[in-house]
Amino acid sequence: SVAVTAGSYYDALEENGGTVFLGLAHLTEHALFLGTQSFPEKSGFDEFLAKHGGATNAFTMEECTVYFANVAHHAFRELVHRFSEMVSVPLLNASSIWSEVKAVDSEHAKNLQNPDAQMMRLMKSLADKDSPVHRFRTGSHRTLQMTNESDLQQSIRRYFDRNYCPQRMHIVTYGPHSLSTQLREVDKRFGVLPRSGPQGLCSPNPRQFAQPEPFPPDRLGYFLRLEGSRPQLLMLFPFESLTPMLASHPITYIRYCMQYDAPGSLKRRLMDEFELAESVDIWSEDTTAGTIVWVGALLLEKGSQDPQTVIQAILDFLADLRRDGVDPRILASLARADQLSWDWGPLQQSTDLVTSVAQELTLVPARRLKDYEVITRPSPASIMHVLKGLTAQRMNVCVVDGTRVEDFATAQVAIRAPNTTVAEPPEVHTVDQFDVRYTMQGLRERFPSLRTAAGGGGDLIAPLDLRRIVQKDGPRSTPRGAVGRAVPDVSARRRRPEPGEETSSPRQRLSLPAPGAPTLFEALLPPPGAGGAPHSAMPQTMHCRMPGPVRYLPGNLTMDLACARPGHGALGHRWGARPHALSGAGGPRSAHNAAVFFRQGWALPRPIVRCSFSLMRPRQNVIRGVKKLALLKVGAVMFSDQVQQALGDIAFSGITWSIDIAENGIAIELEAWADTLRRATERIVAEWKKPINRSNSHAFSSAMDLVMMEYMPSSKEPVYLAKEDIDILTTPDAHARAELLAATKDLMLRNVSTPAAAAGAFEAALRGPFATFGLVMGALEEDAARRLSESMLGTVPGDLSVESHSPEVERLRRVVRTGRPVEVRRQTPRVRDPNYAMYMRIFIGVPSIHDRVLLAMISDLLMQVAFAELRTVRQLGYNVGATVSLDSNVMYVSCFVQGQVLPPDELEAQCERVLSVAVPEAIMNMTETEFRGKKDAYIDHLIQTPTSPQSEVEFFKTPLALGYCADLQENLLTYVKTVESKDWLLEAWTRAVLPQSSLRNKVTVKYWPWDAEVPDPATEAATAAAMEAAGLPPDAVERVRRERGATLLLPNVTSETRAEVLRNGGCFFPMKLICHAGPSTMDFCERADIVASPILASPDGHEPVTAHPHRSAVSGGAVDGATTARQPEGLAADNAAVLLRREGRGLGKRPVVAFGRVGALDPADG
């Protein structure tokens, strides 16, 4: 990774004839990948990575730009060479730069409807217009193509020459080469670069941006209301740069207190008592221009209608912290918790490691890297300094809700008390570059009674003159994404609370207004005739319960039991010995049918214990029905919140736990320090066993709000929503957001959903019956593991007696086999999104060892070729890609594009060209050295070492739960060493992805912009013409033409449309893993009208078979006597469906169904 101390704040320093190209630094980041002196090809870097199993990316921040890549170890020297030329002698070709603006513009377009990006850009646009904080930073065609190619190239060249030199660079390498080898190679390439850059214009010292002050007093005290769908609140507090306080991490202390989760805490008062907000968080953003401290809250419906009470509660809470001062016990415990996380936390992946270290080196010297992550110098003075600045006099506030700004601006005057002076409705503005609307008022004008300090009659904030802020051209904005600091995603901020020991009892509470009484906001308004004067009888300040020190931190860290015994083979050497069966671990309730495994110690030694339990329902007991699932979800949220409150003083200690209930079973996870395991487990289990409080109507209302918020239309980018659609379409029992939201609303309207009903649904889901699988690993002895298992399983009161390998329990999630191409055509579900999106997934089948190895070797090649073709060369959008992956046990190939250049039908043609032309050509052009590099890269992937306790548990979990395929990874490693040439790759790719005669199981989701009309699908002839125009060869054109005629078209994706797929030739892929080598991938069919069950390990040692215990006929084929069933629709002619019956131990007289190629079945097996 290479980090350069120059970023988007430098844009305005490169004026060209008075023109400022906003987004110049970001465009430069893109341009450096488009060829260098020794490697002039525009897509040469992508091709290099594709040949050597690598990947790359970069991001531009305010004051630094970070480039990073990874490759197979044999290509390390060339990677360093290429990177050195990127940052010293890039071509910076004018036409290439001009074309690359499309990629930058697409990156901005993907963020246009991101509510966090809109909110934060709007708030930063209030900064002084001469401060870089004010400016739009991502760039777009409007800000970068204002003049011509030559001007833009000159500006980029000048920016590069002034900022890219060795003294402004930080380089981090990581790999198997010795440190001396890595240093020598870096010195060879970077050590010869001119110290002041190629033109001698680069200053060794980066610029400082503290002046002008971004938020002077006249830029503070404003309230903004922004149109959006997800209610949230954001408060901005400006500071001088807090980087000198880095080692004390003052925000950590405030966050710990703010996120404390216990009865009477800030979170619980806002969430349960007043039903105003789901969560509150605080974080900071540091640059030389200063530090911005952000406080954000996810609002519930009442909170979006009454933001003043939320704001006042947060301000009162901060005032209480200032008044109480810093508790040295809390601070010491936080420092201890930080140190434990640093010492024993998960290891970073190599790319993440070099990227984060390079970025941090732009802020602190190498000797202080630890200061960036850990409280190394606890400082009460630093915390108090920040707290003193978190006041109403020094803030701006923004609220997002679903109200149209015109409606809000007009209607807000109606809630004013009668006979008061009412100003004109606020003017509606539009955020530049985002086209999102907002209103702006002074906080004093909007909330006349808002107090700046805690207490009954705190000072009121002063009025402001809006005309000084709203410029004629409107504020500018920028999205977050590849450009900008890593900002917490407010819409996804649902972190586990950070509690502490309870040290005080709840203080006097505010009471909720009675039905028909004024809202909390109305109660705080001045009385009739009082105008904006302070009210002398304000409600009491909302005091909240504060935490104590972090509890359950280990005192005696011993490594006596922390090291695992080595296992067998290359992988056993890295991951340790396999866990063994733990007899009697399920207790008498499981009738000794529980399959629980144990291993002492870790391959990556840690004084930690982790356990994972899966309680699986038999297929006939799976909870079905969207309303049942919605009610269960509400009950599960109530249970989770109740337990979180009770365990508020555990979470920040490094102990993690979860109990998740779904339609098909229960998942229980626990990770704890070995030293505190017994005490922590007793506490957690005791709370899990408590029934849900059915009389807590506030908790129920909050849970309903949270569930409905979760089911609301997502603000994710369209390409990710398209992926969700495919997952729903191919996953049994899955439901779309709209279905779940409608069901939840219906339950509420019909008064079916009550606290008692939700609690009852949750408790009924605990009753089972269940088959039990568990895995306990870590620094404990076997008897302790047995006791831990019995304790954890004791939290589930239901029947655990189902045999662990019962054929009625699905251990692998079923995947729908469409049997024909399926296409969804619709407008994007993301409101106001202007992008086209296309996501295509081709399901190959259940892979053998042969297919797993060969297609996985192609995966990196596919990813880089797709990026080069779709992004670098054709500039179709920012979000493009392709991959080979697994959905449950089924392998698939996917390709996706999101952008504004081509409509979805044409995007599909471009993806087909990548699969049919670009990938085969890349394989055929592969040299022997490059092929060997592919093998080495895949071997490196297989023999990677553990990074955390969770990674070790997951490594062993699946094969142990299945009861077979324990040697799958070892078999993959053995097989890849036998692969002899690139011809093997080409044959596997052609057979799996480019069949000559059969229809592919291809599912495509296509989105048009939200306001565009969806066209009718093309005819076969038109499809063939489009594919030919895209450059597909005749055989590929014919394949796509034939598939177009057989395509099932769907207008949307719901559980009903999935049922339509199953009615029209769909079925399920076999629920099986193949652990042996073989040239054919299983693309066989389990009929959709069969109650499918999992794989059974046969008692005589033969390969497991799939049993279907509840049906006696398959599409006309009788069970009694071996007969040939009707061939399922969509199977090629060379496939046959054979119905067999096997009578054997463990199966009895049950029907056994297998579909396979003729001759593929061994007669000896039945």
Side-chain angles (χ1 to χ4, degrees):
S1 178
V2 177
V4 181
T5 54
S8 58
Y9 276 5
Y10 290 71
D11 286 352
L13 303 179
E14 306 302 330
E15 294 189 13
N16 190 324
T19 301
V20 177
F21 294 101
L22 297 178
L24 189 73
H26 185 203
L27 180 59
T28 303
E29 169 221 306
H30 283 242
L32 264 57
F33 286 96
L34 302 179
T36 66
Q37 199 172 80
S38 302
F39 309 99
E41 299 83 4
K42 184 177 179 180
S43 58
F45 197 74
D46 296 332
E47 293 169 1
F48 160 71
L49 295 172
K51 292 175 181 178
H52 299 287
T56 189
N57 211 332
F59 55 89
T60 301
M61 300 174 67
E62 293 92 339
E63 296 176 283
C64 75
T65 304
V66 183
Y67 305 83
F68 55 96
N70 63 75
V71 292
H73 64 86
H74 65 271
F76 169 69
R77 289 177 173 81
E78 184 174 347
L79 177 64
V80 174
H81 186 191
R82 285 179 175 272
F83 255 120
S84 68
E85 290 213 351
M86 279 175 54
V87 297
S88 61
V89 286
L91 293 182
L92 299 181
N93 177 273
S95 60
S96 297
I97 292 172
W98 193 259
S99 176
E100 190 65 18
V101 172
K102 292 180 181 178
V104 172
D105 191 62
S106 179
E107 188 171 343
H108 171 53
K110 78 180 179 64
N111 289 316
L112 284 175
Q113 301 307 318
N114 183 316
D116 297 333
Q118 296 170 351
M119 209 172 185
M120 300 190 75
R121 185 57 248 155
L122 174 58
M123 296 194 76
K124 287 185 178 181
S125 70
L126 295 185
D128 187 293
K129 61 183 179 63
D130 293 325
S131 168
V133 177
H134 171 87
R135 291 191 291 267
F136 170 62
R137 301 185 295 107
T138 304
S140 68
H141 72 278
R142 286 191 281 178
T143 67
L144 292 169
Q145 293 182 333
M146 296 183 294
T147 56
N148 54 57
E149 291 183 9
S150 177
D151 287 348
L152 183 59
Q153 181 198 35
Q154 290 177 23
S155 291
I156 283 188
R157 172 61 68 181
R158 186 164 51 249
Y159 167 80
F160 177 84
D161 288 341
R162 291 178 177 176
N163 297 290
Y164 278 67
C165 58
Q167 297 175 84
R168 300 270 294 278
M169 296 177 188
H170 301 273
I171 304 161
V172 182
T173 63
Y174 179 94
H177 298 88
S178 67
L179 295 181
S180 59
T181 300
Q182 295 182 52
L183 286 169
R184 185 167 56 250
E185 196 61 32
V186 170
D187 184 61
K188 174 182 176 182
R189 296 299 180 183
F190 285 86
V192 298
L193 302 183
R195 288 180 59 81
S196 298
Q199 303 301 320
L201 301 176
C202 181
S203 168
N205 300 313
R207 286 286 304 269
Q208 302 293 308
F209 295 93
Q211 296 299 325
E213 183 182 354
F215 293 96
D218 64 343
R219 295 277 168 168
L220 296 171
Y222 292 93
F223 176 76
L224 306 155
R225 192 140 196 161
L226 184 69
E227 280 188 339
S229 58
R230 179 62 173 96
Q232 46 191 302
L233 177 146
L234 194 60
M235 305 164 74
L236 175 153
F237 299 89
F239 287 80
E240 76 287 355
S241 177
L242 298 180
T243 302
M245 302 178 185
L246 180 67
S248 64
H249 292 272
I251 300 298
T252 299
Y253 182 96
I254 303 171
R255 180 186 295 117
Y256 172 75
C257 297
M258 184 174 282
Q259 294 191 334
Y260 177 49
D261 195 353
S265 65
L266 175 66
K267 175 179 178 179
R268 286 299 152 187
R269 302 208 71 182
L270 288 175
M271 183 174 177
D272 294 341
E273 290 185 43
F274 301 114
E275 301 171 22
L276 294 170
E278 170 189 347
S279 62
V280 184
D281 196 7
I282 183 171
W283 67 99
S284 63
E285 181 179 333
D286 300 303
T287 67
T288 62
T291 294
I292 296 176
V293 174
W294 302 94
V295 176
L298 288 177
L299 301 179
L300 301 175
E301 184 178 356
K302 290 181 181 178
S304 66
Q305 298 169 2
D306 181 17
Q308 173 166 348
T309 303
V310 181
I311 297 168
Q312 192 68 71
I314 293 172
L315 292 175
D316 288 349
F317 172 83
L318 294 170
D320 280 353
L321 280 181
R322 284 193 297 274
R323 181 202 63 212
D324 295 343
V326 176
D327 186 331
R329 299 174 305 153
I330 295 178
L331 186 55
S333 69
L334 288 173
R336 169 70 171 155
D338 259 6
Q339 184 64 49
L340 289 167
S341 177
W342 171 269
D343 289 340
W344 304 108
L347 302 181
Q348 287 182 291
Q349 295 292 337
S350 58
T351 303
D352 296 336
L353 175 66
V354 297
T355 304
S356 61
V357 172
Q359 176 190 338
E360 290 164 14
L361 285 172
T362 66
L363 300 173
V364 296
R367 67 180 183 278
R368 291 191 58 198
L369 281 175
K370 185 178 177 181
D371 292 347
Y372 200 86
E373 303 287 344
V374 178
I375 300 176
T376 56
R377 301 174 191 171
S379 171
S382 297
I383 298 169
M384 290 304 298
H385 175 79
V386 174
L387 284 171
K388 289 176 182 178
L390 299 177
T391 63
Q393 297 98 326
R394 293 177 45 79
M395 75 175 184
N396 291 324
V397 180
C398 181
V399 169
V400 175
D401 65 16
T403 307
R404 295 175 66 245
V405 290
E406 297 97 331
D407 296 340
F408 164 72
T410 303
Q412 68 169 330
V413 298
I415 65 172
R416 298 291 294 252
N419 302 320
T420 57
T421 303
V422 179
E424 290 294 321
E427 184 180 350
V428 177
H429 306 282
T430 301
V431 181
D432 185 38
Q433 302 293 335
F434 270 74
D435 297 327
V436 61
R437 299 181 303 170
Y438 69 97
T439 61
M440 182 164 63
Q441 300 169 273
L443 274 167
R444 175 67 176 87
E445 175 190 0
R446 178 66 183 90
F447 305 118
S449 54
L450 187 69
R451 298 186 308 275
T452 63
D459 297 333
L460 301 177
I461 53 180
L464 296 167
D465 180 6
L466 297 181
R467 291 172 297 178
R468 292 174 298 144
I469 299 298
V470 181
Q471 308 296 328
K472 186 170 68 173
D473 59 347
R476 296 190 175 102
S477 61
T478 185
R480 63 176 255 251
V483 177
R485 288 194 176 274
V487 178
D489 185 351
V490 180
S491 64
R493 191 177 302 113
R494 292 180 183 169
R495 302 173 185 162
R496 190 160 284 132
E498 302 176 2
E501 184 178 4
E502 301 168 6
T503 57
S504 60
S505 59
R507 299 177 183 146
Q508 185 172 356
R509 301 183 178 187
L510 288 171
S511 59
L512 286 170
T519 65
L520 289 172
F521 170 65
E522 292 170 332
L524 294 175
L525 288 173
H535 197 296
S536 61
M538 292 287 290
Q540 289 184 335
T541 301
M542 183 192 290
H543 294 295
C544 299
R545 188 183 214 159
M546 296 296 182
V550 182
R551 297 183 64 194
Y552 294 95
L553 295 175
N556 179 28
L557 287 174
T558 174
M559 302 296 287
D560 292 345
L561 303 173
C563 300
R565 291 184 296 103
H568 300 290
L571 293 177
H573 176 70
R574 287 168 171 77
W575 293 87
R578 292 177 189 165
H580 63 270
L582 191 62
S583 60
R589 283 195 308 121
S590 69
H592 305 290
N593 286 329
V596 181
F597 296 83
F598 167 70
R599 189 188 75 181
Q600 179 183 298
W602 303 102
L604 182 66
R606 292 286 190 269
I608 289 171
V609 174
R610 186 177 182 92
C611 60
S612 175
F613 295 91
S614 298
L615 281 64
M616 299 160 285
R617 302 180 194 280
R619 183 67 189 163
Q620 64 271 24
N621 296 111
V622 170
I623 301 172
R624 292 187 174 87
V626 64
K627 293 181 180 178
K628 288 184 179 180
L629 293 174
L631 192 60
L632 173 60
K633 177 72 172 181
V634 175
V637 172
M638 291 178 66
F639 170 80
S640 177
D641 281 348
Q642 176 177 299
V643 175
Q644 282 187 11
Q645 290 186 68
L647 300 178
D649 55 355
I650 286 183
F652 202 72
S653 63
I655 299 172
T656 60
W657 58 269
S658 66
I659 177 167
D660 297 320
I661 296 187
E663 64 273 10
N664 58 349
I666 303 173
I668 301 174
E669 303 279 343
L670 173 70
E671 182 173 306
W673 302 105
D675 181 50
T676 60
L677 176 67
R678 183 185 58 78
R679 290 186 295 125
T681 302
E682 288 175 355
R683 175 88 182 277
I684 292 170
V685 168
E687 296 302 330
W688 282 358
K689 288 182 176 181
K690 291 180 181 178
I692 296 175
N693 184 355
R694 298 172 185 239
S695 63
N696 191 340
S697 60
H698 294 316
F700 168 72
S701 298
S702 296
M704 286 290 294
D705 280 346
L706 291 177
V707 170
M708 286 196 286
M709 291 290 187
E710 182 176 335
Y711 295 153
M712 291 288 286
S714 174
S715 61
K716 290 181 181 178
E717 294 168 41
V719 72
Y720 298 114
L721 296 177
K723 179 182 179 298
E724 280 187 7
D725 277 353
I726 292 180
D727 291 338
I728 293 169
L729 204 59
T730 57
T731 303
D733 303 319
H735 297 276
R737 291 173 186 268
E739 294 178 285
L740 292 163
L741 180 61
T744 307
K745 287 182 176 179
D746 183 64
L747 291 172
M748 183 172 61
L749 291 173
R750 294 193 295 112
N751 292 323
V752 174
S753 184
T754 63
F762 178 84
E763 290 162 4
L766 296 175
R767 297 190 189 113
F770 300 108
T772 304
F773 165 80
L775 178 57
V776 182
M777 295 174 62
L780 77 170
E781 296 177 337
E782 185 166 326
D783 286 343
R786 188 175 291 106
R787 290 192 298 271
L788 176 62
S789 297
E790 294 176 2
S791 177
M792 299 300 288
L793 293 175
T795 62
V796 180
D799 178 6
L800 306 180
S801 63
V802 178
E803 187 179 353
S804 60
H805 289 290
S806 167
E808 301 174 353
V809 177
E810 295 182 356
R811 284 167 178 75
L812 291 168
R813 178 176 54 80
R814 293 189 300 168
V815 177
V816 172
R817 181 189 184 278
T818 60
R820 61 193 293 184
V822 173
E823 181 173 299
V824 179
R825 303 172 67 88
R826 58 175 293 191
Q827 290 177 329
T828 178
R830 195 184 192 194
V831 179
R832 293 194 295 272
D833 194 282
N835 289 285
Y836 298 108
M838 189 284 307
Y839 198 110
M840 178 175 75
R841 184 180 293 179
I842 299 171
F843 289 91
I844 298 168
V846 182
S848 66
I849 294 290
H850 174 94
D851 294 303
R852 277 181 182 263
V853 168
L854 298 179
L855 293 176
M857 287 177 63
I858 298 172
S859 182
D860 285 340
L861 177 72
L862 167 64
M863 180 175 62
Q864 294 299 334
V865 166
F867 187 88
E869 286 287 321
L870 303 174
R871 166 83 179 279
T872 306
V873 177
R874 302 186 185 275
Q875 295 289 344
L876 297 180
Y878 179 76
N879 273 338
V880 305
T883 185
V884 177
S885 191
L886 285 168
D887 181 8
S888 184
N889 62 325
V890 179
M891 184 166 272
Y892 67 82
V893 171
S894 66
C895 181
F896 56 88
V897 184
Q898 174 186 307
Q900 296 177 279
V901 179
L902 294 178
D905 291 332
E906 295 181 48
L907 294 178
E908 179 189 19
Q910 293 300 324
C911 271
E912 287 285 3
R913 184 186 179 281
V914 168
L915 302 182
S916 302
V917 179
V919 171
E921 285 181 354
I923 296 173
M924 289 186 290
N925 294 334
M926 196 182 295
T927 66
E928 180 64 20
T929 300
E930 291 165 352
F931 168 72
R932 296 296 173 190
K934 280 288 177 194
K935 283 185 62 173
D936 290 344
Y938 183 62
I939 290 172
D940 288 345
H941 168 74
L942 287 176
I943 63 176
Q944 62 183 332
T945 55
T947 59
S948 66
Q950 182 179 2
S951 68
E952 293 195 45
V953 167
E954 294 300 324
F955 181 83
F956 293 106
K957 188 174 179 178
T958 297
L960 288 173
L962 291 175
Y964 65 99
C965 273
D967 293 320
L968 177 60
Q969 294 291 103
E970 201 74 54
N971 291 344
L972 293 173
L973 185 59
T974 301
Y975 185 79
V976 68
K977 296 175 181 177
T978 69
V979 179
E980 296 178 353
S981 73
K982 64 184 181 182
D983 295 337
W984 291 36
L985 304 181
L986 187 60
E987 184 276 335
W989 180 261
T990 303
R991 176 174 48 81
V993 183
L994 309 174
Q996 294 300 311
S997 57
S998 60
L999 297 176
R1000 295 176 296 181
N1001 295 290
K1002 174 181 170 183
V1003 182
T1004 309
V1005 173
K1006 297 178 178 179
Y1007 290 160
W1008 276 259
W1010 72 284
D1011 58 350
E1013 183 177 347
V1014 178
D1016 293 332
T1019 62
E1020 290 186 44
T1023 298
M1027 296 297 160
E1028 189 172 349
L1032 270 70
D1035 60 331
V1037 171
E1038 174 57 24
R1039 177 171 54 251
V1040 178
R1041 184 204 63 76
R1042 185 175 65 250
E1043 289 177 341
R1044 168 53 58 187
T1047 297
L1048 175 64
L1049 296 172
L1050 300 173
N1052 53 36
V1053 174
T1054 65
S1055 57
E1056 178 52 38
T1057 54
R1058 180 178 60 248
E1060 185 176 347
V1061 171
L1062 293 172
R1063 287 192 295 267
N1064 284 271
C1067 54
F1068 297 104
F1069 287 100
M1071 290 179 295
K1072 179 186 181 81
L1073 290 182
I1074 303 178
C1075 311
H1076 55 77
S1080 74
T1081 299
M1082 288 184 63
D1083 185 17
F1084 314 147
C1085 196
E1086 293 181 354
R1087 295 300 299 171
D1089 57 351
I1090 297 175
V1091 177
S1093 60
I1095 310 307
L1096 290 177
S1098 59
D1100 54 6
H1102 285 81
E1103 184 67 13
V1105 294
T1106 302
H1108 303 277
H1110 300 293
R1111 294 282 178 165
S1112 58
V1114 182
S1115 301
V1119 169
D1120 293 329
T1123 60
T1124 301
R1126 178 173 63 84
Q1127 177 174 314
E1129 299 176 30
L1131 286 179
D1134 62 346
N1135 286 319
V1138 182
L1139 185 62
L1140 304 174
R1141 188 186 68 184
R1142 167 183 176 174
E1143 296 182 5
R1145 291 168 293 169
L1147 287 175
K1149 295 186 177 181
R1150 291 175 173 174
V1152 177
V1153 182
F1155 290 98
R1157 295 183 183 276
V1158 175
L1161 299 174
D1162 186 350
D1165 282 340

